[in-house]
Amino acid sequence: MQKLIIKGKKKLSGSISISGSKNATLPILAATLLTDKVITLKNIPLVQDVHTMINLLKFIGLNIEISKKSKTLKISSNRKLKTVAPYNLLKTMRAGVLVLGPLLAKYKKAKVSLPGGCAIGARPVNLHLFALEKLGAKIKIKNGYIYASAKDGLKGSIIKFPSISVGATENAILAAVSAKGKTIISNCAIEPEIQDMIIFLKKMGCNINFVGKRKILIIGTREFKNIRHEVIFDRIELGTYLIAAALAGKKIIFLKVKPKIIETEIKLLKKMGIKIKIDKNKITIFESGKVNNVNIKTAPYPGFPTDLQAQIMILMLKASGVSKITENIFENRFMHVPELRRMGAKIIIKKNIAFVTGPTNLSGAEVMATDLRASVSLVLAALIADNRTVINRVYHLDRGYENLEKKLRKCKANINRV
Ligand code: UD1
């Protein structure tokens, strides 16, 4: 099994280019099931989760050509699709459940495996099913599969989510855009990845518009066009490397990004005393002195993302005093803490709150992680630790970070995969 070996305490400098967003690519790929036209997608991050989604869509029957060099996908369909998503393709990636909405909208039925368990929490799909039932689907769960059908096709409806979910909002939109008539979805998630999916759907010919901050109006259609779309940059990858730069950077430049999308994160870094310069499409981080302690709470966008919680914890280890993280989205998302403690971190967990005491001098150790963002937080910790850190289970990182070692090595980090 592959490992990463990192020798810490190197000063980083240079520039890092940010890949396309994994979490925007996955629902956009699911959306291509709606159409028989040719779709060209650019700026695709070729990470494991994206390959898993491509394999699922190929299994269902789409033709997908990958150009690795230009990070482009060309997707077309010239046969009737299967309406099944099997367990072996959903057990490692929950976003596979996003094919449910489009298959149901187009073929009036779908059999999709319930996604596998997950280290960070229970992660049910009840809100996905709630939305599809509102659109007229009949749903049964049997033998680990969701059986959904809508004999006369899905019909537009009013969907008011009881709580905010990214995936359920995506599934509801992907079903409603081809349902008969008008749908209003309220209390929906408004993550930039969902907004990118909506831009994509509009280009494709869908009639979909925001009519309030968390309210979307959709008029169903089945008339689509051939289109090209460039996927938005990965704001979580950017946030991760901004934190790396704040931890160990002398001067690191991030080009072709939209700082407006990550205003919450930038504001927090400034509050922590990080020297950061914002230009229109560029961010620069300079070496900072003292880091200030802060308290944060994870929340749906535009709040602080749960997907950056493990990473910001490492910067809190450098801050003077006690910082507090309240994790409001997933119930079991402090799995990186025991490993960080082995590196010398002083962190106490009480229910969904982590109390992080700094500044601490971390020391390298052999560690392993249980999910994508937890793994990358160990990489960040290793960058500022004494000696050598060995990170096991690198496959978690490969699910969501494109060329991680290459990008860090370009900034002079001492990181190698064996
Ligand atoms: C997406 C992101 C993930 C991110 C998360 C929160 C993708 C592929 N994944 O995951 O990286 O961490 O948003 O920003 O984009 N919930 C229910 N019932 C449901 C669905 C969700 O109770 O049917 C709960 C979840 O358990 C969780 C909360 O709602 O507590 C938010 O989850 P959700 O926004 O759905 O996350 P995902 O879409 O799975």
Side-chain angles (χ1 to χ4, degrees):
M1 225 191 293
Q2 296 187 337
K3 300 171 179 202
L4 283 181
I5 299 184
I6 300 172
K7 285 196 191 124
K9 295 254 150 104
K10 274 256 182 187
K11 279 275 165 241
L12 309 184
S13 61
S15 67
I16 299 183
S17 57
I18 300 301
S19 297
S21 161
K22 162 180 92 71
N23 285 356
T25 300
L26 297 174
I28 287 173
L29 279 172
T32 65
L33 287 169
L34 289 164
T35 175
D36 298 325
K37 301 285 180 187
V38 180
I39 306 290
T40 307
L41 295 175
K42 293 168 66 180
N43 201 29
I44 297 295
L46 294 172
V47 293
Q48 194 49 50
D49 275 8
V50 170
H51 287 298
T52 306
M53 189 59 125
I54 290 172
N55 289 339
L56 174 58
L57 297 185
K58 281 184 171 170
F59 171 88
I60 291 173
L62 295 184
N63 307 316
I64 305 182
E65 289 167 35
I66 308 178
S67 162
K68 286 198 173 153
K69 223 171 145 201
S70 62
K71 299 194 188 296
T72 302
L73 301 180
K74 194 169 169 195
I75 304 168
S76 60
S77 148
N78 52 9
R79 62 189 141 207
K80 190 167 181 322
L81 301 182
K82 284 189 206 124
T83 52
V84 179
Y87 174 67
N88 65 340
L89 290 167
L90 263 86
K91 68 179 180 206
T92 55
M93 189 201 53
R94 299 178 43 83
V97 78
L98 295 176
V99 303
L100 182 58
L103 285 179
L104 194 52
K106 192 167 178 194
Y107 292 103
K108 303 181 186 171
K109 61 173 188 174
K111 175 187 168 189
V112 174
S113 169
L114 280 167
C118 179
I120 63 175
R123 303 186 79 178
V125 290
N126 59 312
L127 296 172
H128 298 236
L129 305 184
F130 159 82
L132 298 174
E133 280 175 335
K134 289 274 178 206
L135 295 169
K138 296 264 172 298
I139 291 177
K140 266 195 281 181
I141 308 277
K142 219 173 97 185
N143 305 119
Y145 276 84
I146 305 161
Y147 289 80
S149 65
K151 258 198 193 136
D152 303 318
L154 294 177
K155 290 196 180 64
S157 178
I158 291 176
I159 302 167
K160 185 167 193 284
F161 282 116
S163 61
I164 295 172
S165 155
V166 173
T169 300
E170 290 165 345
N171 235 334
I173 293 173
L174 293 176
V177 287
S178 273
K180 243 179 261 156
K182 183 169 119 178
T183 298
I184 291 176
I185 308 176
S186 53
N187 200 27
C188 51
I190 52 168
E191 267 61 6
E193 295 74 31
I194 295 182
Q195 299 187 35
D196 196 41
M197 180 188 80
I198 291 175
I199 293 170
F200 168 83
L201 290 169
K202 280 174 95 113
K203 282 188 197 165
M204 209 165 91
C206 296
N207 188 334
I208 170 168
N209 288 294
F210 275 95
V211 289
K213 189 182 168 207
R214 291 193 182 274
K215 199 170 192 181
I216 296 172
L217 170 65
I218 296 171
I219 316 279
T221 181
R222 285 167 174 265
E223 300 280 318
F224 300 117
K225 296 180 265 200
N226 294 337
I227 60 156
R228 297 169 78 80
H229 178 73
E230 181 170 337
V231 171
I232 190 176
F233 72 93
D234 194 316
R235 71 188 161 102
I236 304 299
E237 190 199 19
L238 173 60
T240 302
Y241 289 127
L242 288 176
I243 294 169
L247 285 164
K250 230 175 167 163
K251 179 180 174 189
I252 301 195
I253 301 171
F254 301 86
L255 294 165
K256 287 199 248 167
V257 293
K258 291 196 182 119
K260 214 173 162 19
I261 286 179
I262 56 154
E263 267 177 345
T264 304
E265 292 85 329
I266 290 172
K267 222 165 119 189
L268 181 76
L269 289 175
K270 283 185 175 164
K271 198 169 162 194
M272 293 181 87
I274 304 306
K275 292 190 187 125
I276 180 165
K277 182 168 178 278
I278 307 295
D279 295 295
K280 194 164 168 248
N281 294 314
K282 177 178 153 190
I283 300 176
T284 313
I285 295 219
F286 301 92
E287 186 161 4
S288 308
K290 185 175 166 280
V291 179
N292 307 319
N293 63 329
V294 284
N295 297 333
I296 62 154
K297 292 183 173 145
T298 61
Y301 191 84
F304 189 85
T306 175
D307 282 358
L308 278 176
Q309 175 259 102
Q311 299 89 312
I312 201 73
M313 188 180 271
I314 312 304
L315 193 54
M316 289 172 167
L317 288 170
K318 251 187 109 173
S320 312
V322 179
S323 298
K324 214 167 90 178
I325 300 179
T326 308
E327 171 56 59
N328 286 323
I329 309 292
F330 294 112
E331 63 272 27
N332 195 18
R333 213 174 193 182
F334 288 133
M335 308 265 282
H336 42 291
V337 169
E339 296 301 286
L340 291 173
R341 282 198 196 118
R342 296 185 50 248
M343 296 176 75
K346 294 190 194 102
I347 304 168
I348 296 168
I349 309 280
K350 285 189 187 150
K351 289 190 180 153
N352 66 331
I353 304 177
F355 298 86
V356 184
T357 303
T360 315
N361 204 15
L362 297 178
S363 60
E366 182 150 358
V367 291
M368 70 174 162
T370 39
D371 74 81
L372 174 57
R373 310 302 171 186
S375 313
V376 89
S377 78
L378 297 177
V379 173
L380 297 180
L383 290 176
I384 54 165
D386 290 325
N387 305 321
R388 201 173 83 135
T389 298
V390 179
I391 301 178
N392 293 294
R393 298 196 179 164
V394 179
Y395 56 85
H396 285 299
L397 283 170
D398 294 336
R399 285 188 47 207
Y401 286 90
E402 194 176 44
N403 299 330
L404 175 112
E405 304 101 91
K406 227 169 145 186
K407 290 185 186 189
L408 285 173
R409 244 192 333 253
K410 203 176 138 231
C411 291
K412 306 186 181 67
N414 189 333
I415 173 168
N416 288 293
R417 187 183 285 238
V418 291

